[in-house]
Amino acid sequence: MKEIIEKIQKELEAIADPEAKESGEKFFKEKVNLRGVTVPQINDISKEYFPGDKSKKEIFELCDELFRTGFWDESIIACNWSYKMNKQFMPGDFAIFEIWVENYIDNWATCDTFCNHTIGSFVEKYPHYLSELRKWTKSKNRWMKRAAAVSLVLPARKGLFSKYVFEIADVLLLDEDDIVQKGYGWMLKEASKANQEEVFEYVLKNKAVMPRTALRYAIEKMPIEMKNEAMARE
């Protein structure tokens, strides 16, 4: 299986563009190892080399190796491949996903790609793991705290798991890290598409203490009258 990783890396290196690397780095505050390959190119390579003849266990092992390289480009392929296995997800997979979030995710793009799709689809299939997501809000790792929120972005858009959406927002409410604030604000924004009044009431109740970054994200899709009321100072 090592050969698959080596082939992927050679192809990524062959098409890497220094200008794309420099441009991509501007999207991150933290240092991220980019080769200089665009997302469409990465997705094409991901599809080309997906080892569909391998077992889920083998594919997850390959994902682990891709994450371990430390390159953002390879991490996106790992995100794509893990999500492609969603029909085969089993409860024990959560422990693997947790290890990946805790040890390998170090930027918002990988966090959101992995959590929106892989973990989001996992908790829709196994909702009793939502309580495990809630535990991540207590982590000292900023990416695990963001992951707790952004893993619910797609389910929340469908109107699912409102109880956990607000419980996670409650714990993260006063977090000083803007990465976390944007994460739970985004979760609330998506929840507002199905449960606008409930999210609006939550924002009004907490607007005196909610960081402005999170508040603006949460109300982004609301009517202007609601936005004005939410943003008005008492």
Side-chain angles (χ1 to χ4, degrees):
M1 291 197 294
K2 187 177 179 181
E3 293 178 358
I4 298 174
I5 305 293
E6 291 174 348
K7 286 179 180 178
I8 287 171
Q9 290 181 315
K10 284 181 181 178
E11 185 153 350
L12 288 169
E13 289 168 1
I15 62 174
D17 179 359
E19 289 186 9
K21 173 180 167 66
E22 184 178 353
S23 175
E25 287 172 346
K26 294 177 182 177
F27 286 96
F28 302 94
K29 289 183 179 179
E30 58 281 336
K31 179 174 173 54
V32 177
N33 289 324
L34 304 177
R35 293 186 183 278
V37 183
T38 67
V39 172
Q41 288 174 315
I42 293 170
N43 288 339
D44 286 343
I45 291 171
S46 176
K47 291 175 185 175
E48 179 183 353
Y49 287 96
F50 178 69
D53 59 330
K54 303 293 185 184
S55 67
K56 184 184 73 174
K57 180 177 182 294
E58 290 173 317
I59 289 171
F60 280 3
E61 287 172 356
L62 285 167
C63 289
D64 194 84
E65 288 299 318
L66 287 164
F67 275 126
R68 283 177 182 271
T69 67
F71 280 96
W72 176 80
D73 318 70
E74 280 94 318
S75 75
I76 296 301
I77 295 174
C79 295
N80 292 344
W81 286 6
S82 64
Y83 177 60
K84 283 180 74 72
M85 305 311 295
N86 69 88
K87 292 182 180 178
Q88 298 182 38
F89 284 168
M90 295 296 289
D93 296 335
F94 188 84
I96 297 170
F97 301 156
E98 186 170 45
I99 288 169
W100 291 348
V101 173
E102 188 167 17
N103 293 287
Y104 303 142
I105 287 180
D106 60 2
N107 64 83
W108 64 264
T110 306
C111 183
D112 296 356
T113 303
F114 181 65
C115 295
N116 283 180
H117 301 290
T118 299
I119 299 183
S121 61
F122 177 88
V123 295
E124 282 195 44
K125 189 172 184 178
Y126 301 108
H128 58 281
Y129 276 87
L130 288 163
S131 59
E132 295 299 313
L133 280 189
R134 188 170 52 197
K135 292 177 184 177
W136 292 3
T137 62
K138 298 292 189 180
S139 174
K140 293 181 180 179
N141 182 330
R142 69 191 308 207
W143 302 111
M144 291 199 79
K145 288 190 285 187
R146 182 180 175 97
V150 300
S151 292
L152 294 186
V153 159
L154 297 185
R157 186 183 297 170
K158 302 173 189 176
L160 300 175
F161 311 139
S162 290
K163 173 178 179 286
Y164 285 92
V165 165
F166 293 115
E167 286 183 0
I168 285 171
D170 278 343
V171 181
L172 300 178
L173 186 65
L174 302 180
D175 199 288
E176 296 179 355
D177 190 334
D178 71 333
I179 283 290
V180 177
Q181 294 170 11
K182 290 173 182 176
Y184 85 77
W186 181 22
M187 174 185 67
L188 289 171
K189 175 176 71 175
E190 296 305 320
S192 76
K193 293 176 180 179
N195 297 301
Q196 187 179 83
E197 284 298 331
E198 198 173 0
V199 173
F200 183 59
E201 288 174 10
Y202 181 85
V203 170
L204 289 185
K205 182 179 73 173
N206 293 289
K207 73 174 188 175
V209 295
M210 182 183 285
R212 259 4 204 188
T213 297
L215 191 153
R216 289 190 181 97
Y217 266 74
I219 64 174
E220 186 178 335
K221 297 299 181 181
M222 293 183 183
I224 188 64
E225 298 81 7
M226 286 182 166
K227 287 182 180 180
N228 289 340
E229 186 175 352
M231 292 296 293
R233 298 287 185 180
E234 296 295 340

